Structures are given as C-alpha cells and as structure tokens.
Amino acid sequence: AHRSPAVIIVGSGISGVVAAHRLYINGYRRLRVLEATGRSGGRIRSLAYGKGFIELGAQWIHGPSPNNPVYQLASQYSLLDPEALTKENQEEDGDGHLPLCSISHTNAGKRISQALVANITELYSAWLKQSQNVSKEECDPKSSVGGFIKQKIAEKLTEWDTATADTKLAFLNGLLNHECCISGTHSMDYVALCPYGEYTLLPGLDCTFPGGFESLVTQIKSALPNDTILFNKTVKTIHWNGAFQGSDARIYPVQVQCEDGDMFVADHVIVTVSLGFLKEQASGFLSPPLPVHKAQAIQNLGFGTINKIIMEFKEPFWDPDCITIQLVWEGESPLAQSKINMKQDWVKKIPGFFVLERPEKIGHLLCAFIAGQESEYMETLTDDEVLSSMTALLRQFTGNPNLPPPIRLIRTRWSSEPYTRGSYSHVAVGSSGKDVDNLAEPVPNYGAKPFQVLFAGEATHRTFYSTTHGALLSGRREAERLIARYQELDMLHNKSK
Ligand code: 6YU
C-alpha cells in the first residue's frame, strides 16, 4: 500500500519530466504531470528550421563530461555528434565561456587589434576567477561581482596609456554585458560576490544537440505512458496540510486546483515552476502560504531575463572561421554611470553575435544575446522595429551602409512568457546559497505527513543553478526523496508484521 502514493508534478520542463521518469521506473504508477502550456520542455525549446533546428532556450550542454547528467543521458540516447564524445572534448577546460575566437568591431566600423583583445580578455578572465575564489570570511555580504571587477579595472586603469585606455574600457564594458547574459541578470552589480564560487563549472567543451535540445526531453518522456502528462492544465493553487477526499474515498493531504476548475488530490506535489513564476505569484500559489524562510528565499534570489535575437542572412558577411563577433561601443565604460535613453540605446546592451553551427542545415545565422532591462524593452517592440534596429547596428559596426538586412528574424520573449517570467536564476546580492537550499526544502519537512509539497527546478540546485543539468538533478533529487521515504515506510511495515 505504501508503494502507491498519488504524486502530482507541476510543470513538464526537464526537471518535471525527469522526476516523473524516476518515479515511474521505480514502480510508481499514480503519477500526473500538469503542464500549463501545450508542450513539454519549458525553457528547453527547439524550433525546426530549414533542415535542422534553432534553440530558443537552452543551447549548450555546459561542461559535457562524464559527471554531467545531461551529457550522460544525451550520449546514452545517441543524441550528440561524434566530436562531442571524444575524450579531448570532455577534458577541455573552457572555464564556462565559449572560446572567443572573435573579431571585434567598434561602432565606428573599425576592427580592434587582436593583441588588445587577447590582453584584455586575459585580464578579465583572471579577475573573474578571483571573484569566484574570494575567501568567505573576508567577504562583505553586500559586495557584488560587478563591484569587484570594477575595482580591479579602476586599479589597472592607472597603468594604461591614454591612447588605448578608452578602447580597453569599452571592450571591458562589452565583456561585462556578456557576463550579464551568462548570469541571467541586468547588471553584474546584482550578483552576490561571496557565494559566486559555489556555482560549479564542469570540464568539457560546450556542445549542442544536432536534433535539437528538446530531443533529450522527448526521449526521457517516451518511457512514460501517454496520459501521464496533461497539457494546457495550469495550476492555480496548491492546497496542502488539508484533508481532501478522493474518488477512492481515501483522505489526501493535498489538493491541486487548476485554472479551468479541475481538482486533483495527491499525497505529494512536486513543484517545478520557474522562480520567475513563483516570484510573480508571491503568496497566492500555495495555501496555506509557505513558511517565512521559503518565501524569503523566493524574494531574495535573483531571476533575470536574457533573450536571443536570431537572424538569417542570404550570404555570410563574417569570417567563416570565427565563432563570435564582439561589439565594442567606443565611449562606454564600466566605470561611468551613463543615463540611458532606452528607445535609442537598448541595442548597446548586445555584447555581440554567435555564428550558429551547421549552416549547411539551417543557413547563415547569427544569434545575439541581450540581458536585463534592455532585453525586456526589446520584448515590447515589434519584429519590424527589432529588425530595423539590428540592420542599422550591423551597418554601423561593419562600416557598410549597404549591408543587406537579414532575410528572417526570430527573437525570444522570455520575460513575457507567463509561465517562465525571465530566463534563469542567480544568487543576487542580499541572498546566499542557503536561500537556494531553503527553496529546495519540502514542506512540511517533518511530522506524520512530510513532503506534501516538494520543490525542484533549476533554481533549487545549489551548485548548478541556471542550467539544464542543475534542473535535471533537482528532479531526480525530489523523486529520490519520495522513493527513500516509501522504502523506509515499507521496511517499518515489514518489521511490524
Ligand atoms: C543550459 C544553456 N541557455 C538560454 C535561455 C534560457 C535558458 N538555460 P522549466 O521552466 O523548463 O519548466 C517548468 C515548466 O512548468 C514549464 O513547462 C512551464 O510551462 C510549467 N509551468 C509554470 N507554471 C505552471 C503552472 N502554474 N501550472 C502548470 N505548469 C506550469 N541551460 O544548460 N545550457 O545553453 C542554457 C539558456 C534563453 C531561457 C537557458 C540554459 C537554462 C535552462 O533552460 C533551464 O535552467 C532549464 O531548462 C530549466 O528547467 P526547469 O525544469 O527547472 O524549468 C559563473 C557563473 C554563473 C552562472 N551561470 C552560468 C550558466 C549559464 C547558463 N546558461 C545559459 C545559456 C543559455 C544560452
């Protein structure tokens, strides 16, 4: 009897699908996944494009090496290119940043010398490493990664000659804008310095899925019976610590109420919705509301926006050997507080472009990332407005006023997605890794009916937050928590017989 608890999983992103899979293969059969949208995958979202795919959400396996569960599964399911499976690739230490074999253009249409690029990139990487290694004892909890790096820049500035100082500052400004995209934040001044080193980088050269990142979710899901996931089923309120009668006349502690009026009773609910959604719902999503330390974790942790602007060009105008094109705005500096005119200046937040792989399948595509408030502003513009801004930007940077505009543009709007409300989490100034653990803690955590509501999702993983592998591990963790609990109950039950 202990083996048949009713478990509801809210959300069919990778953490939810993995939790369902883990429970299912352990014999749990009373499973339901309730998903608000019409698809699985959540922030993993691949779009068929030409003869291949483009990624609107997660793009790379960060650190594809044996200890990365996304990599493990993807190789097991044969979803990766053979190069991604080589030993050299798995051992490469990319420090979490893609190799910047890059060309850097300024807004005056000039190229920046490779020597300057190499020199500043090296300095910046060293500072970033230092920011990950500050000693916790000496660290002021109010300090930020942005503040730390800016202090290093200010110290170094005194050594630079006036002829190159401005270009170096402008280049560093672009690197910090790029860092905002990696951390999913408006500014690195929002990212807490003391816990920054807790985020763990895995070795391996970041790689992509030739059949789309979503192929991984499809594979995991395929082991589940077809009716396990209910789509277009938005959960409105989770009532817990109650006594709700099921159609089998049993009394359950939890009842899940959907927007469309449907009700489901359960012994346990695993909540995998994004931190952005939880922040927006504040207290309404759970009844009774969450204990203070959990509500505070939701409030304190950071959840920002990054978006992609993907453009197809008839002909590539870039060097085919380069993976990235960096944009450098002369006159911008991380040390200056410039007041921005959003309409005119939002594009200045774009640090550059990635040249998308497999052009023989998808055509000649560039992908820009943009973080923060400028990214959210971009979401309010029409496709035509974004296209004309991007065309003007590229003409300015290449110095070619006749550069043909992209033939197609696709951009994401992660902040406007009602069931995501941003991109991914970071440990913000004013919060710490303890908040991540608090968010992950089930309620109640003790007593006769523990673990009524459990929490998974990328933001609940202390060392791999913001990633697909963090999300995957969090789903497994919560499934395992229930499996261990029922094994214990079975043992007690058998002993007493
Ligand atoms: C990665 C990468 N990547 C780019 C962009 C984004 C993200 N990530 P989900 O939201 O997926 O699922 C929840 C479901 O719940 C969802 O389906 C909802 O519809 C549903 N739901 C919500 N409310 C509901 C309700 N009320 N009722 C019912 N259902 C409801 N990760 O590994 N590689 O390249 C990128 C990138 C644009 C938006 C990414 C990347 C993040 C992952 O996509 C994300 O973590 C997981 O997919 C989340 O899965 P989940 O199940 O938790 O939630 C040093 C240092 C520091 C920091 N970070 C460095 C790492 C950088 C991360 N890199 C990102 C880069 C890109 C390009």
Side-chain angles (χ1 to χ4, degrees):
H2 290 134
R3 300 280 290 182
S4 60
V7 183
I8 288 180
I9 295 159
V10 184
S12 176
I14 191 162
S15 59
V17 168
V18 162
H21 179 264
R22 190 41 72 108
L23 289 168
Y24 187 78
I25 61 172
N26 278 277
Y28 288 69
R29 289 295 178 266
R30 299 181 62 200
L31 296 175
R32 273 242 187 276
V33 181
L34 306 179
E35 167 56 48
T37 69
R39 54 176 286 279
S40 290
R43 283 170 271 171
I44 295 177
R45 188 160 168 188
S46 314
L47 183 72
Y49 197 94
K51 296 193 188 85
F53 294 88
I54 55 174
E55 304 294 355
L56 302 180
Q59 187 155 348
W60 297 283
I61 304 183
H62 289 309
S65 49
N67 286 334
N68 184 326
V70 167
Y71 178 70
Q72 262 173 18
L73 272 186
S75 358
Q76 209 174 301
Y77 292 136
S78 310
L79 300 175
L80 300 175
D81 276 338
E83 307 88 79
L85 303 171
T86 61
K87 211 163 160 25
E88 302 83 76
N89 256 41
Q90 294 180 35
E91 285 166 359
E92 183 98 15
D93 180 9
D95 76 0
H97 292 67
L98 285 175
L100 292 174
C101 150
S102 63
I103 317 171
S104 305
H105 292 273
T106 71
N107 50 320
K110 285 189 313 208
R111 270 198 179 191
I112 293 187
S113 83
Q114 281 299 324
L116 187 146
V117 168
N119 170 246
I120 299 300
T121 307
E122 200 177 309
L123 270 179
Y124 176 81
S125 303
W127 294 333
L128 198 68
K129 269 223 168 81
Q130 286 170 30
S131 72
Q132 288 154 350
N133 290 311
V134 286
S135 98
K136 282 222 164 140
E137 293 71 45
E138 290 162 28
C139 189
D140 173 357
K142 289 198 284 299
S143 50
S144 70
V145 176
F148 179 88
I149 290 179
K150 285 193 242 177
Q151 195 190 332
K152 297 287 173 193
I153 296 173
E155 284 163 19
K156 200 76 191 169
L157 181 62
T158 55
E159 295 171 22
W160 290 336
D161 58 70
T162 42
T164 58
D166 283 351
T167 308
K168 287 175 176 167
L169 286 171
F171 187 73
L172 281 162
N173 201 58
L175 290 178
L176 278 168
N177 283 342
H178 176 64
E179 208 61 53
C180 288
C181 296
I182 295 173
S183 277
T185 180
H186 173 65
S187 160
M188 290 309 287
D189 295 356
Y190 296 179
V191 179
L193 179 64
C194 314
Y196 192 51
E198 286 184 13
Y199 176 82
T200 307
L201 289 166
L202 293 168
L205 198 63
D206 288 4
C207 66
T208 59
F209 287 76
F213 215 128
E214 227 178 289
S215 60
L216 178 68
V217 179
T218 308
Q219 279 286 346
I220 304 169
K221 223 172 65 156
S222 66
L224 299 171
N226 270 343
D227 57 354
T228 310
I229 307 177
L230 299 186
F231 294 103
N232 304 309
K233 245 333 143 207
T234 307
V235 171
K236 186 176 177 196
T237 309
I238 300 166
H239 302 272
W240 58 292
N241 253 353
F244 305 97
Q245 192 168 27
S247 56
D248 57 359
R250 250 191 71 195
I251 302 296
Y252 294 82
V254 188
Q255 186 183 50
V256 175
Q257 184 185 353
C258 295
E259 289 285 359
D260 63 6
D262 271 5
M263 300 276 199
F264 298 86
V265 289
D267 295 291
H268 308 279
V269 176
I270 305 179
V271 173
T272 76
V273 305
S274 75
L275 176 60
F277 180 85
L278 286 176
K279 277 180 184 286
E280 190 185 56
Q281 295 297 309
S283 54
F285 196 53
L286 282 119
S287 169
L290 288 170
V292 173
H293 69 289
K294 283 190 68 83
Q296 265 169 0
I298 293 171
Q299 203 176 24
N300 295 347
L301 288 167
F303 194 80
T305 302
I306 69 155
N307 277 305
K308 296 181 182 181
I309 305 171
I310 300 169
M311 291 169 289
E312 180 177 353
F313 293 87
K314 204 152 173 253
E315 300 293 339
F317 58 86
W318 50 89
D319 176 347
D321 295 333
C322 268
I323 306 168
T324 63
I325 302 167
Q326 285 164 298
L327 303 182
V328 178
W329 291 91
E330 293 276 10
E332 295 290 309
S333 159
L335 304 180
Q337 275 286 3
S338 54
K339 213 172 151 6
I340 64 161
N341 170 344
M342 208 43 115
K343 193 165 185 259
Q344 190 186 300
D345 295 338
W346 70 270
V347 287
K348 290 191 179 170
K349 194 66 175 276
I350 299 174
F353 300 94
F354 283 98
V355 177
L356 293 187
E357 293 170 89
R358 307 181 185 93
E360 68 291 352
K361 292 218 158 112
I362 58 175
H364 305 291
L365 269 64
L366 292 183
C367 173
F369 281 81
I370 180 166
Q373 286 156 14
E374 292 82 352
S375 191
E376 286 159 22
Y377 176 76
M378 183 276 289
E379 294 190 23
T380 67
L381 301 176
T382 64
D383 280 355
D384 282 348
E385 284 169 327
V386 176
L387 189 122
S388 70
S389 296
M390 296 309 287
T391 305
L393 175 85
L394 286 165
R395 287 181 176 166
Q396 187 181 359
F397 274 82
T398 54
N400 175 3
N402 300 316
L403 188 85
I407 52 175
R408 204 171 158 195
L409 179 141
I410 291 171
R411 47 62 195 259
T412 60
R413 285 198 179 100
W414 284 106
S415 173
S416 311
E417 297 281 342
Y419 304 112
T420 312
R421 287 286 182 234
S423 57
Y424 40 83
S425 64
H426 59 272
V427 181
V429 174
S431 65
S432 73
K434 183 77 185 111
D435 286 309
V436 180
D437 289 344
N438 284 346
L439 182 62
E441 192 187 284
V443 291
N445 206 4
Y446 47 81
K449 285 195 191 307
F451 311 157
Q452 292 171 29
V453 188
L454 305 99
F455 292 82
E458 111 345 85
T460 68
H461 198 284
R462 176 112 181 210
T463 58
F464 293 143
Y465 56 83
S466 76
T467 64
T468 50
H469 50 284
L472 186 155
L473 288 173
S474 74
R476 271 192 197 161
R477 177 191 68 215
E478 296 313 311
E480 288 297 343
R481 198 192 295 277
L482 290 179
I483 293 165
R485 160 89 183 146
Y486 283 93
Q487 273 170 353
E488 204 180 301
L489 286 179
D490 277 349
M491 265 164 47
L492 288 173
H493 185 74
N494 290 342
K495 257 195 203 149
S496 68
K497 266 209 278 190

